[in-house]
Amino acid sequence: MYRKTVGAGLLAACVLALPLSAAAAYPEKPVKLVIGFSAGGPTDIVGRYLAQGLSEKLGQTIVVENRPGATGVLALQSVKKEKPDGYTLMLGSSSTLSIEPVFKKNVKFDVFKELTPIAPVASYPYLLVVPASSPYTSINSLVQGAKKQPGTLTFASAGNGAVNHLAGEWFKSQSGIDITHIPYKGDSAAVSDLVAGRVDMAFLSIIAADPQIAAGKMKALGIASTGASQLKPGMPTVASESGINGFSAEPWNGVLGPADMPPEIVAKLNAAITEVMSTDQAKEKLATLGQSPFVGTADEFAAHIRSEMTRWSGVIKKANIEQVE
């Protein structure tokens, strides 16, 4: 995953070098940011934080519109039909952009033909958690326990096709264990069964798992980040403990617009978004949600969407996960 901090001076210089026609005048009126998830959730909170920061940077109101449904696809379908003038944007998710296209058989959108990637915004690693009553105290002991009783252990997810469903299937296939997937309608719905010991493990977001860990009802065996995470200093990664090369499960969000947006407007928005998300204040705000800033160029963001799509497609094929309509 790309993470780099771009100096404000360099960004300003890049924007000044752009053609004055579109970049200098934009934005001349309020900008709409469509979020494909309900108000009050982590994605919405990040989106509203970004909107406030962009309003200050760009000198125009950023109006947030929640359009939940179909794992963010309803928002995508509405935004892709708008004019590519930079006045209608969306805060997209990894589930919408990198999993839906490879998990669903009849996807009715093409990310790279119908949208313009602008900038990544935030990401968060999952924790591999087990009930506090679980006999397993490490990832290795969990794997060895599963091997001794194939088909007996279970793992929870936020639903079929969710990032933590595919992460669980990846962990299962690469570890050579036989554990049963139990889908729920969201992470919060799985928590009660996890703490009660009715489910043996799950990949959960930090914000969902931490209250239970603090209450002594759940324990984390590892973090599914690409490397050591400042969100959980000292916690081993799933990759290092399991030996699964490259293992990570880090959902993310990023800003996109309709296809064929002017490059100078994309560059101006990317610079502003990067500045907003590169501050210590942004880091502190996102940490309360178990997230971290995720910044980079528009090209890097597009490459990340594509690489994630390729990776999850490989997981689906290797784990023999059946695609759905």
Side-chain angles (χ1 to χ4, degrees), residues 4-318:
K4 67 178 187 179
T5 302
V6 183
L10 176 60
L11 288 168
C14 291
V15 171
L16 289 174
L18 295 169
L20 295 177
S21 55
Y26 175 84
E28 298 180 290
K29 60 182 180 179
V31 175
K32 181 166 67 175
L33 179 66
V34 182
I35 299 175
F37 299 90
S38 300
T43 299
D44 177 69
I45 294 172
V46 171
R48 290 177 187 276
Y49 177 84
L50 174 64
Q52 181 180 353
L54 283 181
S55 294
E56 296 170 1
K57 292 289 181 186
L58 299 176
Q60 285 287 352
T61 301
I62 310 298
V63 180
V64 173
E65 177 182 304
N66 295 93
R67 190 167 293 191
T71 320
V73 175
L74 290 184
L76 185 154
Q77 296 286 15
S78 68
V79 170
K80 76 176 189 179
K81 298 174 184 177
E82 298 291 336
K83 292 180 180 179
D85 55 9
Y87 288 100
T88 301
L89 309 172
M90 70 172 285
L91 184 65
S93 73
S94 50
S95 294
T96 309
L97 302 168
S98 290
I99 292 180
E100 286 285 307
V102 296
F103 183 68
K104 298 287 181 68
K105 291 179 180 178
N106 301 309
V107 175
K108 294 180 170 58
F109 65 88
D110 186 315
V111 173
F112 300 103
K113 290 182 179 179
E114 298 179 287
L115 296 170
T116 299
I118 297 171
V121 172
S123 69
Y124 60 97
Y126 279 123
L127 299 177
L128 196 169
V129 297
V130 296
S133 59
S134 173
Y136 309 118
T137 57
S138 68
I139 292 175
N140 182 62
S141 66
L142 172 63
V143 170
Q144 295 307 313
K147 287 182 176 179
K148 289 177 181 178
Q149 42 185 336
T152 302
L153 300 189
T154 57
F155 76 94
S157 82
N160 289 313
V163 174
N164 54 357
H165 167 214
L166 300 187
E169 296 288 358
W170 187 8
F171 180 77
K172 169 183 172 179
S173 65
Q174 292 298 98
S175 298
I177 57 178
D178 180 12
I179 54 178
T180 302
H181 174 225
I182 308 295
Y184 290 80
K185 293 183 178 180
D187 285 342
S188 59
V191 168
S192 60
D193 278 359
L194 271 162
V195 299
R198 290 188 288 268
V199 184
D200 296 294
M201 62 160 277
F203 287 95
L204 284 186
S205 64
I206 293 174
I207 194 170
D210 263 2
Q212 307 302 327
I213 294 171
K217 298 178 180 179
M218 196 181 285
K219 52 190 178 185
L221 305 185
I223 189 166
S225 53
T226 52
S229 174
Q230 294 183 355
L231 293 169
K232 290 291 179 181
M235 181 173 289
T237 65
V238 175
S240 64
E241 294 298 293
S242 66
I244 303 173
N245 187 39
F247 187 94
S248 67
E250 298 182 81
W252 44 265
N253 296 112
V255 175
L256 304 93
D260 302 319
M261 284 181 59
E264 59 268 28
I265 291 181
V266 172
K268 187 168 188 176
L269 281 168
N270 180 277
I273 292 167
T274 299
E275 287 186 37
V276 170
M277 301 311 299
S278 293
T279 64
D280 288 339
Q281 182 187 45
K283 184 178 178 181
E284 292 170 5
K285 175 65 176 180
L286 264 62
T288 65
L289 303 172
Q291 302 192 35
S292 298
F294 172 26
V295 299
T297 67
D299 286 344
E300 287 172 341
F301 182 36
H304 185 69
I305 295 171
R306 196 179 296 278
S307 68
E308 286 274 284
M309 200 180 291
T310 299
R311 182 173 64 140
W312 291 123
S313 177
V315 169
I316 288 168
K317 290 176 183 176
K318 189 158 189 176

